[in-house]
Amino acid sequence: MYSDQSTVETEIFQGKYQKIRELKTGGMGKVFLVEERRKKKRYIMKIVPADKKGLREAEYLEKAENLSGIPKIMQWEKNEHEIFMVMEYVRGNSLKELVSKKKRIGRRKLIRWGLALCEILQGLHQMEPPVICMDLKPEHVRITPAGKVYLIDLGISAYEGEELEGYGTKGFAAPEQRKKGSRADVRLDIFSFGKILDFCKKRMRWKGMETVIRQCTRKRQKDRYPSMAVLKQALKRERRRETLKITAALIIIFGLSAGIGRLSFSENAPGAMPVDAKREMQKYLFGDERNRPDYIMAEQCITEWQGKDSEISRYERLLDAMENPGKIQSWEVIWQDLRKNPAPGLYETCFLSQVYLTRQKQLASFGKPAWQAWKLLERQKDREVSGIYWKRRIEDERLQAAGNLALQGEEEFLREIAGEYLQKTGTQEEAWSGYRRVVMFLEREGRDMSSYYENFLQKFPCCEEAYVEYGIYLCRLGRWKEAQTIYRRGKNKTSMAGEKAGELKEKLGI
């Protein structure tokens, strides 16, 4: 079987994971981005000393398996000296990175992220026994492109009441936490939470939230908020103040232009969500030209108008179908919700197709979810789209829909996508970049990919990377003679001078 030198050096996982790159090295161990060789799925591998702290981190992660916002631990093993943990790979940026890049982060967004972080910490604190994070800081709070908040490091956590050894990050750890002999307490995390708010406030030069920050970071433990539940209520009060400020500003604006007496939302039914608020919620739920979806903020907008608007109730059900499927009482209602708008715009199309594709199992008894997603996406594929994110997302979801239809015996949709890449104008490298995704998808499903490779090489006979990938694929199947033939064909057409081509040549003994 073909392998390369970047395989993680451990016998524990038997070469199952291929190292992509090292992400972090510190006193607590090393962190790598790895890829599972068979499924081509990426994970984080954390390697820490095989001591009490390392074993405890694996224990905390296993206990938090069902806690949203904590990366899932897939498997872990240990040898005499080290512990190897394979965890969910959380894409996105840390809060520190977002603030350091001077990205415009509004107070309302920060409050919503804060509420999500409160939920995670409250979940840890409600475990039996309660787990105290102990290392809460902006680097360890990660925000995904969809706006979901994760807490990514439990390396120095402790159970409530345990005696501490004086660990903690200066500037974020409570003063008593850095004293050896202190006891783990939920108010240590509350102090650090306040320091995170203060960090963001100072970097973004905001006003407000002084009361919450001051109460979190009191010097004496007993003077702080007693629990995450109480802190969460304080943040919700801050959110209401922000909403009132925005409402007051709208009243002034509309009052000046049309007169206070004429200020009304005539487009809304009584009790319905105001048009501007609905548009804001849709921006978060679907995304738009400038913004990616942010489900955390969408959920908060929905919560404010829960049960007061039928369209918002529909969006709430669809968001739950994607994020919290256990809440869904009737998947038939979800099927109807998905089909309610027959001609959605680009951004809503991407959202609806994602629901179809991620919840196929639950929706399959009402029709063909992958086919419904494909139909929606076909209307958008030729649309002029600004920004690489949306172009790539449409491509990704079309490929996923076509792949799922292929699993149901309808491979013509995948062939259509492959044909589109072959017909695209541009360099052979650009054509291969897209075509390869079709090939890799089908290979994961155990299909014979020879005809697909041959079709590409017929159109682009001088693409070295295609010859190399074709040869590697044949090696994985043990078809060594065919692989040698493909290598020699590539050598006749190209230089085959790249690093991967050299590795393939060595494996084939040429």
Side-chain angles (χ1 to χ4, degrees):
M1 180 176 286
Y2 179 87
S3 63
D4 63 45
Q5 297 302 313
S6 63
T7 299
V8 174
E9 296 298 325
T10 169
E11 295 180 359
I12 287 180
F13 296 118
Q14 299 175 340
K16 181 178 180 181
Y17 298 97
Q18 176 180 330
K19 181 171 69 178
I20 305 299
R21 65 179 181 274
E22 188 171 334
L23 298 178
K24 180 181 176 184
T25 299
M28 302 306 293
K30 294 183 178 182
V31 180
F32 297 95
L33 177 63
V34 299
E35 184 175 81
E36 188 179 2
R37 299 181 66 84
R38 187 172 64 84
K39 295 183 179 178
K40 303 296 181 185
K41 188 171 181 180
R42 293 189 172 186
Y43 297 97
I44 293 297
M45 180 182 286
K46 188 171 184 179
I47 304 175
V48 298
D51 55 15
K52 181 181 176 182
K53 285 190 182 69
L55 289 168
R56 272 292 187 83
E57 184 172 7
E59 183 179 314
Y60 299 142
L61 289 168
E62 284 191 327
K63 285 191 171 186
E65 181 181 5
N66 296 317
L67 181 58
S68 178
I70 298 291
K72 302 290 183 287
I73 185 165
M74 314 310 293
Q75 61 182 128
W76 69 277
E77 294 289 348
K78 73 182 186 74
N79 60 23
E80 186 178 352
H81 304 290
E82 294 174 312
I83 295 172
F84 302 81
M85 291 177 279
V86 178
M87 297 178 284
E88 175 186 5
Y89 174 38
V90 179
R91 299 177 185 274
N93 296 100
S94 71
L95 187 57
K96 182 178 181 180
E97 289 169 336
L98 291 173
V99 172
S100 299
K101 289 176 181 176
K102 304 293 183 185
K103 291 193 71 171
R104 187 174 180 82
I105 304 172
R107 284 191 294 270
R108 292 184 76 197
K109 181 175 279 191
L110 179 68
I111 290 169
R112 283 166 178 153
W113 289 348
L115 286 166
L117 184 57
C118 275
E119 290 285 348
I120 297 169
L121 291 164
Q122 190 173 1
L124 289 172
H125 295 171
Q126 289 175 345
M127 287 183 177
E128 192 58 47
V131 174
I132 314 301
C133 173
M134 306 283 293
D135 202 15
L136 197 57
K137 54 187 178 182
E139 299 96 298
H140 291 166
V141 179
R142 199 160 188 84
I143 316 296
T144 71
K148 187 174 177 62
V149 177
Y150 279 84
L151 180 60
I152 62 168
D153 199 314
L154 300 178
I156 65 168
S157 299
Y159 288 123
E160 187 177 40
E162 283 190 314
E163 188 173 310
L164 306 180
E165 298 180 20
Y167 292 114
T169 301
K170 188 176 181 180
F172 292 96
E176 69 270 22
Q177 181 180 327
R178 294 171 59 83
K179 295 178 182 177
K180 194 170 183 178
S182 298
R183 299 281 174 179
D185 187 281
V186 297
R187 288 165 293 186
L188 300 180
D189 285 347
I190 287 169
F191 181 95
S192 300
F193 188 100
K195 285 294 185 180
I196 289 177
L197 289 180
D198 192 46
F199 170 84
C200 295
K201 181 177 182 293
K202 287 176 178 176
R203 297 298 189 284
M204 305 307 292
R205 298 180 180 178
W206 291 328
K207 294 180 181 179
M209 287 199 286
E210 289 86 356
T211 302
V212 174
I213 293 170
R214 188 165 54 248
Q215 190 73 20
C216 284
T217 57
R218 297 281 189 190
K219 187 173 181 180
R220 294 193 305 177
Q221 211 179 70
K222 66 179 184 179
D223 294 333
R224 298 172 201 154
Y225 292 114
S227 68
M228 279 294 160
V230 177
L231 171 55
K232 192 162 59 175
Q233 291 305 312
L235 282 175
K236 286 181 177 179
R237 286 193 292 272
E238 288 291 331
R239 184 181 66 190
R240 283 195 290 272
R241 290 190 189 101
E242 287 297 316
T243 302
L244 287 172
K245 286 179 187 177
I246 293 170
T247 303
L250 286 172
I251 289 172
I252 292 170
I253 292 167
F254 281 98
L256 289 174
S257 61
I260 295 293
R262 293 174 60 193
L263 177 62
S264 65
F265 296 97
S266 58
E267 296 178 56
N268 304 306
M273 188 179 194
V275 170
D276 286 347
K278 188 175 292 187
R279 286 174 183 156
E280 181 186 25
M281 185 280 301
Q282 289 172 334
K283 179 186 77 175
Y284 293 135
L285 185 61
F286 305 145
D288 61 20
E289 185 177 350
R290 296 182 179 179
N291 301 283
R292 298 184 184 187
D294 186 334
Y295 295 151
I296 297 296
M297 295 191 73
E299 186 176 8
Q300 293 296 330
C301 290
I302 287 169
T303 300
E304 292 176 17
W305 292 89
Q306 200 168 32
K308 299 178 182 177
D309 185 294
S310 61
E311 191 175 4
I312 296 305
S313 297
R314 170 180 170 251
Y315 291 142
E316 181 185 14
R317 290 191 296 270
L318 290 172
L319 183 57
D320 280 340
M322 187 131 66
E323 295 284 288
N324 303 294
K327 287 185 177 181
I328 301 303
Q329 296 178 354
S330 170
W331 286 99
E332 186 175 6
V333 172
I334 299 300
W335 181 260
Q336 293 166 358
D337 286 339
L338 286 163
R339 293 162 60 84
K340 190 168 184 179
N341 183 358
L346 168 67
Y347 310 111
E348 186 174 358
T349 287
C350 290
F351 173 77
L352 295 175
S353 69
Q354 197 172 15
V355 179
Y356 275 125
L357 295 170
T358 55
R359 297 292 169 244
Q360 289 188 86
K361 184 178 179 181
Q362 294 92 332
L363 296 168
S365 58
F366 309 108
K368 294 173 66 174
W371 168 239
Q372 295 296 332
W374 176 266
K375 285 198 301 183
L376 287 175
L377 293 161
E378 280 295 278
R379 297 191 187 107
Q380 305 293 339
K381 71 172 184 177
D382 296 322
R383 175 173 170 172
E384 286 294 325
V385 180
S386 61
I388 191 65
Y389 171 79
W390 290 106
K391 290 178 183 176
R392 188 62 181 265
R393 182 160 172 182
I394 291 169
E395 286 184 9
D396 286 345
E397 292 189 9
R398 284 186 77 230
L399 179 58
Q400 191 179 350
N404 282 293
L405 288 165
L407 294 178
Q408 297 167 29
E410 300 179 60
E411 199 169 310
E412 61 268 25
F413 301 99
L414 267 179
R415 292 198 193 96
E416 180 179 331
I417 293 177
E420 288 170 7
Y421 285 122
L422 290 178
Q423 297 305 318
K424 278 185 177 179
T425 57
T427 66
Q428 63 183 15
E429 287 75 18
E430 290 171 338
W432 174 247
S433 176
Y435 193 89
R436 181 177 183 272
R437 297 169 68 213
V438 178
V439 170
M440 298 304 291
F441 182 91
L442 284 172
E443 188 183 344
R444 285 200 297 271
E445 303 303 326
R447 303 296 184 90
D448 185 346
M449 299 312 305
S450 302
S451 62
Y452 281 85
Y453 281 113
E454 291 292 349
N455 287 342
F456 185 86
L457 290 171
Q458 185 177 354
K459 178 71 182 291
F460 298 102
C462 297
C463 182
E464 177 181 314
E465 192 173 350
Y467 285 109
V468 172
E469 292 284 351
Y470 192 4
I472 292 172
Y473 162 71
L474 293 170
C475 286
R476 282 198 286 262
L477 297 179
R479 292 157 62 178
W480 298 97
K481 288 185 178 180
E482 292 174 71
Q484 289 172 342
T485 301
I486 293 302
Y487 178 86
R488 291 190 177 99
R489 276 175 56 191
K491 186 69 175 174
N492 289 334
K493 295 288 186 180
T494 75
S495 63
M496 293 295 271
E499 185 179 344
K500 277 192 171 182
E503 291 174 0
L504 177 60
K505 179 181 179 182
E506 185 179 342
K507 284 290 176 184
L508 293 172
I510 295 175

